[in-house]
Amino acid sequence: MTHRRHFLSSLTRAAAGAALLATGLSAHAADTIKVGILHSLSGTMAISETSLKDVALMAIDEINAKGGVLGKKIEPVVVDPASNWPLFAEKTRQLIAKDHVVAIFGCWTSVSRKSVLPVVKELNGLLYYPVQYEGEELEKNVFYTGAAPNQQAIPAVEYLMSKDGGGAKRFVLLGTDYVYPRTTNKILRAYLNSKGVKDSDIKEVYTPFGHADYQTIVADIKRFSAGGKTAVISTINGDSNVPFYKELGNAGLKATDVPVVAFSVGEEELRGVDTKPLVGHLAAWNYFESVKNPVNTDFVKKWKAYAAAKHLPNAATAVTNDPMEATYVGIHMWAQAVEKAKSTDTDKVIAAMGGQSYKAPSGYTLVMDPTNHHLHKPVMIGEIKGDGQFSVVWKSKEPIRAQPWSPYIKGNEGKQSL
């Protein structure tokens, strides 16, 4: 009996110690505000997403150096969903339910975002999504800091059809086989049809993620272009861009013959490619590293210094790009909203996000639309230069309000706000 009492007493002391430890730990954990960084650091999308993780960490360091938010330091929790779409959902659940992050900055592909959405909604989390996408979506728990189709895809096609853009009459819609390219191309086909372009003058081609052999496809494009002035609209994502552009060079398909405008190729993707054969091909974004303004000069300088200080791979050739800018703006806007709300509570931050503005490296003051959770963004079309940078050949006069639900898709009337 004495033995049993002694055992129980020890057990009680151990439990009390554990409780004290837990209290101490939770008190310690409460000293920081945790956020999740959800980007593929391996697999086919790592070429694009790794720099978004790094620029997110840079933005967090910047905010922490100025005292953090609500008097607390931000603590990033970095995970690698490894270009595996179901793993994005698992990692999201872990970040919100186990790590107790108050916001997640992440995803590139729409299939990864669609995988994450049900979890974020179920657990009332917050996702900041930094990449241009197909629209046809509007969620209370998501803030979209990349472009909707009317802030990238439609203006790019308008440009290609214009005299300055070469007056294209035929179009090859070439993309990776998933929701973003297919939905974007559905919108672009409807738009082209509305401008009098026949379906026989539109060729739609899809390849799987990680596709590496573009010889046949480029030969087909060459043949198709014999039927009239042709442009290629590329929604190829990830590391497949490298063999695609190499094949364009091998086939001698110059921008003057068949211009390619890409929606998912920027400075980062071009770091791994010999850009000389690509000179003159185009990309449509809302920011390029080459734009001249004091905010961007500072942003580029800070990024290059950060890449060197952190010994990031290929730091000597570090570049900035559009989704990096959108990530950076999103984190700063979230911090502003938390300060305004005086809380990290999801619903309070959502309420405080509407109308937030930020002087962005693009040279414009970007505003978060309170009714549709998208940024008002400028549109820029850039021409690839020999050094892998872009020369801006066209840009909108002002930031454009997003239309998440495309007016070119039937049934979307009256769907533009939450």
Side-chain angles (χ1 to χ4, degrees), residues 47-117:
I47 184 177
S48 297
E49 292 194 63
T50 304
S51 61
L52 302 196
K53 176 265 293 181
D54 290 320
V55 83
L57 296 178
M58 180 182 91
I60 289 166
D61 280 359
E62 259 178 42
I63 296 164
N64 281 342
K66 290 178 179 169
V69 288
L70 304 179
K72 294 178 180 182
K73 292 287 167 79
I74 304 166
E75 181 186 340
V77 181
V78 179
V79 293
D80 177 16
S83 310
N84 174 334
W85 319 131
L87 194 54
F88 269 86
E90 284 177 40
K91 294 287 185 189
T92 301
R93 190 170 292 280
Q94 173 203 314
L95 286 170
I96 300 172
K98 192 176 154 212
D99 297 314
H100 304 296
V101 304
V102 297
I104 293 172
F105 301 93
C107 301
W108 178 295
T109 69
S110 284
V111 67
S112 69
R113 189 190 69 259
K114 295 279 189 196
S115 173
V116 161
L117 274 181

Side-chain angles (χ1 to χ4, degrees), residues 21-34 72 75:
L21 187 64
T23 312
L25 281 174
S26 65
H28 176 69
D31 291 343
T32 63
I33 289 172
K34 288 184 176 181
K72 294 178 180 182
E75 181 186 340

Side-chain angles (χ1 to χ4, degrees), residues 47-48 241-242 245 262 264-276 278-279 281-283 285 288 317 319 321 383-390:
I47 184 177
S48 297
N241 278 297
V242 176
Y245 280 105
S264 294
V265 172
E267 295 85 345
E268 184 66 24
E269 288 75 17
L270 291 178
R271 277 213 289 175
V273 181
D274 172 16
T275 50
K276 286 177 190 65
L278 310 184
V279 168
H281 286 299
L282 306 162
W285 289 105
F288 289 104
T317 59
V319 291
N321 66 16
E383 212 171 72
I384 299 173
K385 299 196 304 180
D387 61 357
Q389 287 290 325
F390 290 84

Side-chain angles (χ1 to χ4, degrees), residues 5 19 39 41 95 116 124 143 145 169 283 304 310-311 317 351 354 356-357 378-379:
R5 264 203 313 272
H39 282 300
L41 310 177
L95 286 170
V116 161
N124 198 29
F143 286 95
T145 60
K169 301 279 186 266
K304 288 181 187 292
K310 298 289 180 184
H311 306 294
T317 59
Q356 284 294 340
S357 66
V379 185

Side-chain angles (χ1 to χ4, degrees), residues 120-334:
V120 170
K121 284 161 76 175
E122 177 202 333
L123 301 175
N124 198 29
L126 257 184
L127 173 67
Y128 285 75
Y129 177 64
V131 184
Q132 90 305 335
Y133 82 122
E134 71 282 357
E136 307 305 296
E137 180 181 296
L138 206 51
E139 294 290 349
K140 174 177 90 80
N141 297 78
V142 183
F143 286 95
Y144 305 80
T145 60
N150 72 305
Q151 297 170 310
Q152 185 195 32
I154 300 286
V157 175
E158 281 175 345
Y159 177 77
L160 290 171
M161 294 173 87
S162 73
K163 194 180 164 197
D164 287 348
K169 301 279 186 266
R170 309 193 89 201
F171 295 86
V172 178
L173 310 181
L174 172 62
T176 303
D177 193 2
Y178 74 106
V179 62
Y180 161 64
R182 283 193 177 272
T183 309
T184 298
N185 289 337
K186 181 182 173 185
I187 291 165
L188 290 180
R189 185 181 283 273
Y191 171 76
L192 289 167
N193 289 163
S194 80
K195 297 292 176 190
V197 178
K198 297 187 194 75
D199 278 335
S200 56
D201 287 323
I202 303 169
K203 182 180 176 67
E204 219 168 313
V205 184
Y206 296 97
T207 55
F209 275 102
H211 190 71
D213 183 5
Y214 282 91
Q215 207 170 339
T216 308
I217 288 168
V218 169
D220 286 348
I221 290 169
K222 221 170 178 177
R223 271 194 298 275
F224 185 77
S225 69
K229 185 63 185 169
T230 298
V232 176
I233 294 154
S234 169
T235 45
I236 295 171
N237 269 256
D239 53 12
S240 292
N241 278 297
V242 176
F244 170 61
Y245 280 105
K246 276 187 178 155
E247 190 51 47
L248 279 183
N250 294 345
L253 214 55
K254 293 188 173 64
T256 43
D257 309 324
V258 180
V260 175
V261 63
F263 298 162
S264 294
V265 172
E267 295 85 345
E268 184 66 24
E269 288 75 17
L270 291 178
R271 277 213 289 175
V273 181
D274 172 16
T275 50
K276 286 177 190 65
L278 310 184
V279 168
H281 286 299
L282 306 162
W285 289 105
N286 315 98
Y287 163 88
F288 289 104
E289 183 182 321
S290 61
V291 297
K292 301 274 186 283
N293 67 70
V295 180
N296 191 42
T297 302
D298 187 47
F299 177 59
V300 173
K301 193 174 156 191
K302 279 192 296 202
W303 170 246
K304 288 181 187 292
Y306 182 87
K310 298 289 180 184
H311 306 294
L312 299 184
N314 308 312
T317 59
V319 291
T320 60
N321 66 16
D322 178 293
M324 287 169 70
E325 192 229 22
T327 297
Y328 184 80
V329 169
I331 291 177
H332 279 282
M333 273 195 176
W334 165 81

